[in-house]
Amino acid sequence: MPNLSAAIDAADAGPAARETRPRSAVSAGVGIVGLIGLFSYLLIARYAPEIAAFLGIDWGGRGRMDGPVSAIASVLACGVPMVLWSLFVDKVHRNPSTGIDWSLRRPWRETLDISLTKLAGLWATWGLIALGYATMRYYWSGQYEFSMELLARVAPWLLLVSVPYMLWLDRRLVDPRDGCYAFGRWLIAPGAPVDGRAIGHHFRAWAVKGFFTAFMLSIVPGNFSSLVSVSMSEVLANPYMTGLWTINLLYLVDVHIATVGYILTLKPLDAHIRTANPYGMAWVAALICYPPFILMNGGPLDYQVGGADWGYWLAGHDTLMAVWGALLVGLIAVYAWATMAFGIRFSNLTHRGVITHGPYALTRHPAYISKNLSWWVGSLPFLVTSGGWVEGARNTALLALVSSVYYWRAKTEEKHLLADPAYQAYWSWAQKNALVPRLFAKLTGRSAPLIRLEPDSRVGPVA
């Protein structure tokens, strides 16, 4: 594993030492076809009455397709093309990293015990997640009600489908005895030796999936409905409304592709969770950015108290407002592009393959940089409608703390990913060749970051 001094020496070698960018685990085409599928469905949902009239279909008074069921259909419209592209164009199921050997056809009797043990572990894990949902009242109010109702409806089908899927997959896996197997064996064979580290990985991976899948599903309907239901005359009323609608459209891309990513953690798609972040500080840094643990909106790090956004401060200056809106749209576009680059592999706190294309060719953390810049540009925390300069200074300091949280998230993610030689190669390449690290090197006179967190050799990955 390269150390910091080696990285500095390599960066100092300059342009002559620049090498080819490491290959990305996901092709650009995956995100593009997902975007096409999503936007196609969005147009159908917006103009459903007009389309029905053109085709001679009696649409009645149903109006636009802006309900929660239609929102979930839009997730499918986004996800299905990405799956098809991954399988038939990129042929990801053939990647060695899937852990699958398609030439294997073990007899059923050889893997049946393994599969049944894994099913016990899987169903017990799902039961623990369901118990967590049921215990926390937070999940049964507000926007989370939709998530819980949807998951309750699909749960019996997941239980049913998991049986043939596990029986089929284990016959082809090079090593079917994974963390799920270890947990199942611990349950059904008390006292038997098990791999505790693998069980820890299994729980971390499913904790990520359980927490973030519920969150993503909860915000899909509202995000989708706001884009489908609003009239274009309202959108085009002024630069502020146009900017807001466009920003919401870009967040739609982020939300949908991320939702697909959290759902499709499947080995045949090479989208499984290789490792979940084993460092507690990484979980703290991530979870305080999401409900119910969020410290920003309404919490101690709320930087908008007594403030107003760019639309308020630039009202009456349409040209400046249009320029400001374009800047914000550009920043959010980079953020959405960063999510799109992951295709079906987006996920917080996990390693599911190293992404090096798109905005990741410019910086290692395009989403965090663009998101935080958009908050500074959009909220203008130093300007307030009440509380005077003291409140403005307080909001500015709090937003600086929020940005510091995201800086720490980036560092703890690197600490996790640097255990993989593939990410080491990408980190070193980016430090020498990517636009943002090179810019920072020129501005600061440092050829390597001030802080680089090395992974703990005692932890190690469990693939």
Side-chain angles (χ1 to χ4, degrees), residues 62 68 94 111 152 182 199 214 246 268 298 320 322 328 348 362 383 385 400 435:
R62 283 177 287 178
R94 300 293 181 185
T111 58
I199 293 176
T246 308
L320 182 56
L328 266 174
N348 281 296
L362 305 175
L383 299 176
T385 58
L435 176 63

Side-chain angles (χ1 to χ4, degrees), residues 388-411:
W389 71 268
V390 173
E391 197 66 70
R394 183 182 291 120
N395 285 346
T396 302
L398 289 173
L399 183 50
L401 284 174
V402 171
S403 296
S404 298
V405 168
Y406 277 84
Y407 175 80
W408 194 243
R409 283 184 68 178
K411 292 302 176 181

Side-chain angles (χ1 to χ4, degrees), residues 214-249:
F215 171 69
M216 298 308 301
L217 289 174
S218 75
I219 61 178
V220 164
N223 180 236
F224 178 78
S225 177
S226 66
L227 288 164
V228 173
S229 59
V230 66
S231 66
M232 291 310 296
S233 60
E234 185 178 342
V235 171
L236 300 175
N238 55 62
Y240 177 67
M241 294 303 299
T242 304
L244 282 187
W245 189 88
T246 308
I247 289 170
N248 284 335
L249 180 66

Side-chain angles (χ1 to χ4, degrees), residues 4 158 163 225 237:
L4 183 56
L158 289 176
V163 177
S225 177

Side-chain angles (χ1 to χ4, degrees), residues 72 146-147 150-151 212-221 259 263:
I72 295 302
F146 173 76
S147 293
L150 178 62
L151 291 173
F212 285 103
T213 300
F215 171 69
M216 298 308 301
L217 289 174
S218 75
I219 61 178
V220 164
T259 302
I263 293 172

Side-chain angles (χ1 to χ4, degrees), residues 346-387:
F346 181 86
S347 176
N348 281 296
L349 291 169
T350 62
H351 176 17
R352 297 170 67 182
V354 179
I355 308 302
T356 67
H357 71 283
Y360 291 90
L362 305 175
T363 174
R364 289 186 293 269
H365 303 286
Y368 292 165
I369 292 174
S370 57
K371 178 190 281 190
N372 277 270
L373 286 175
S374 74
W375 289 337
W376 284 96
V377 172
S379 66
L380 299 171
F382 40 83
L383 299 176
V384 292
T385 58
S386 62

